[in-house]
Amino acid sequence: MHGRPRPPKDFSPPPEVVAAQERKTKLLRNATSEVLKRRREKDYSDESLGLAAKLLSLNPEVYTVWNFRREALQKVFIDKEKSVDEKRAISEKELQVSAEALKRNPKSYSAWHQRRWVVEKGYTVPRHELLFVEARLEEDERNFHAWNYRQFLAAHAGRSPEEELEFSRKKIDQNFSNFSAWHYRTKFLPLVGRAKGTTTLTQLVEEENKTPKAGIGVGGDLVPVEMLEEEYEIVHSAFVTDSQDSSSWFYYRWLLGHSIAHCTRPMPTEEKSNAVRRLLEFIDGEKTKLETEHLSVEPDAKWPCLAVAWLEEIVAHFADDGGGGGGNSGGKVVKDIFAKLMGLDVQRKGFYRHAMNGETSLVISS
């Protein structure tokens, strides 16, 4: 869990704690051996599954025991004599086993995998699972297992991209520093432009591999321009709240990548020129906003300085012919910014030196 302090390197637990840990280790070792023995014997009795569930509640990381449970449950799922209600009851019981394991370790790969495996069988209630994962994200808003599971559920339950964007916006409003929530938006915003009417995520995901990639540094579909404008407003609100938090700035760079891609996709020359002109006008407005809202108040703020470098890099890329070419971190303004950042952010001094020498780029990819 985030925020949990680590013990000092020279920390030695009391003898009674060590003794208790040794007893627990012996118990787990014996229980694991017994469960694996029953697996070899293909003993799928309620007693065996109960012992396996108890073991997993103490140590969710024994993936072989999860395999044992899947072998037993699969026999139920393929049994044509079993009713839908029986299979639903078995599924709900297994979800509870997973839930108990996740209480022990909320980031157990095996426990989350088991949960997904059960849901894919098709006998669970999607709404209940959405509530479950939402509760886990209340406990730890940056649990990437829970976010990945949420994305899977969204497709499985046929939710629209708009619904998931609304959920991520709620999490961002709770905490602008929630990098996972910002990242979640990058998974669904490109889908909105493709979604028509009641199109669900399931249908959109099926189409994903058929769709050409968008442009420089951007995979998948382009985010519509009007949606980009809304996202820039959201991210600027986050800047005002805490300009030192990196989460919103990384999202800002992702948005810039999509703005660029609208100018680099195949299109007629005149249309391309107009797109580049609109982009450069937008960049001028962004630079002014960063200067007036941030750098005029705090000239040495790292992230606003770096964002101006991103913007200047875009200008340098399109300045020559309005359609691409050239475009690394050149220009006196950009170099001056990198030189300043080398003093402000010493830990990344080498990176800024590379950028200043044109050996790497920040937004534009070659």
Side-chain angles (χ1 to χ4, degrees), residues 15-259:
E16 59 271 19
V17 174
V18 174
Q21 186 62 43
E22 289 176 350
R23 289 193 298 271
K24 180 181 177 182
T25 300
K26 183 177 180 180
L27 174 64
L28 289 173
R29 187 180 295 118
N30 292 339
T32 302
S33 296
E34 178 62 24
V35 171
L36 295 182
K37 171 178 169 291
R38 296 188 182 211
R39 185 196 184 197
R40 288 192 298 271
E41 296 171 350
K42 300 188 184 300
D43 178 0
Y44 301 130
S45 64
D46 289 344
E47 180 185 357
S48 295
L49 292 178
L51 179 60
K54 179 63 177 176
L55 174 59
L56 291 169
S57 70
L58 297 173
N59 183 10
E61 305 312 314
V62 191
Y63 63 86
T64 307
V65 179
W66 290 111
N67 290 342
F68 173 53
R69 295 190 65 85
R70 283 195 290 275
E71 291 168 4
L73 295 175
Q74 182 65 10
K75 292 181 178 297
V76 177
F77 288 130
I78 65 175
D79 188 347
K80 296 181 180 180
E81 300 297 321
K82 298 290 185 182
S83 68
V84 171
D85 287 341
E86 287 178 298
K87 294 177 181 179
R88 184 174 292 123
I90 289 291
S91 297
E92 292 300 325
K93 185 175 181 180
E94 191 62 18
L95 290 178
Q96 186 57 40
V97 172
S98 168
E100 290 299 319
L102 289 170
K103 288 179 183 179
R104 175 69 60 175
N105 179 9
K107 296 183 179 180
S108 168
Y109 284 87
S110 298
W112 284 108
H113 176 72
Q114 184 78 355
R115 201 167 192 91
R116 175 168 177 161
W117 180 82
V118 173
V119 170
E120 286 175 335
K121 296 302 176 182
Y123 299 102
T124 57
V125 182
R127 182 173 59 86
H128 293 171
E129 282 303 281
L130 287 167
L131 291 173
F132 174 84
V133 74
E134 189 164 348
R136 303 293 74 75
L137 288 172
E138 286 295 323
E139 295 168 354
D140 181 0
E141 62 189 10
R142 291 179 287 182
N143 184 338
F144 70 90
H145 296 276
W147 281 105
N148 288 343
Y149 187 64
R150 171 88 192 197
Q151 187 177 351
F152 154 71
L153 284 177
H156 181 79
R159 288 171 63 82
S160 69
E162 289 84 357
E163 288 176 303
E164 290 308 291
L165 288 171
E166 182 180 351
F167 174 76
S168 66
R169 178 64 188 275
K170 182 180 76 171
K171 302 304 290 184
I172 289 170
D173 288 343
Q174 290 175 356
N175 181 8
F176 279 120
S177 185
N178 190 341
F179 180 86
S180 297
W182 290 109
H183 180 68
Y184 198 68
R185 296 187 76 75
T186 70
K187 300 296 184 182
F188 293 97
L189 275 170
L191 298 179
V192 174
R194 219 184 335 147
K196 303 294 182 182
T198 57
T199 301
T200 65
L201 283 175
T202 304
Q203 295 167 306
L204 291 171
V205 169
E206 289 174 353
E207 297 173 9
E208 179 67 23
N209 294 331
K210 305 175 185 177
T211 306
K213 301 307 177 186
I216 292 182
V218 178
D221 295 292
L222 287 177
V223 178
V225 173
E226 60 274 14
M227 292 204 69
L228 284 173
E229 293 173 355
E230 296 174 8
E231 294 302 306
Y232 281 118
E233 290 182 11
I234 294 172
V235 81
H236 272 289
S237 297
F239 295 162
V240 172
T241 302
D242 183 3
S243 65
Q244 299 306 309
D245 183 76
S246 63
S247 302
S248 52
W249 293 102
F250 280 120
Y251 184 66
Y252 182 66
R253 186 173 67 172
W254 181 83
L255 293 176
L256 290 175
H258 274 267
S259 293

